[in-house]
Amino acid sequence: IENVHLRQIIWEIKKDARRTHFDSDILNNRFLLHKLLLLHQLETGTEYVQGMNEILATLIDVVGTTPDGRTEP
């Protein structure tokens, strides 16, 4: 990757995604990583900041969980 700033953002996102803990499995971490990278690539004018991973992880856990507590793939 040529752009140093982009490399730094990707490194931050990967680092934060790795240390985000889910009750379910590693697939949610990969999903989180992909969604954070996608959010950055959409160029919405919002820079990635530490903590976005926790907000998105909470949404993934809530939306991806059935009423009986099981995680949907």
Side-chain angles (χ1 to χ4, degrees), residues 29-48:
N29 279 50
R30 287 186 182 171
F31 183 79
L32 175 68
L33 175 63
H34 287 111
K35 297 313 165 207
L36 289 171
L37 289 170
L38 178 65
L39 179 64
H40 177 71
Q41 289 177 343
L42 289 176
E43 297 181 22
T44 60
T46 304
E47 282 289 322
Y48 178 80

Side-chain angles (χ1 to χ4, degrees), residues 45-65:
T46 304
E47 282 289 322
Y48 178 80
V49 293
Q50 186 175 7
M52 290 176 96
N53 61 313
E54 295 296 335
I55 294 168
L56 186 55
T58 301
L59 290 173
I60 292 169
D61 271 346
V62 170
V63 174
T65 304

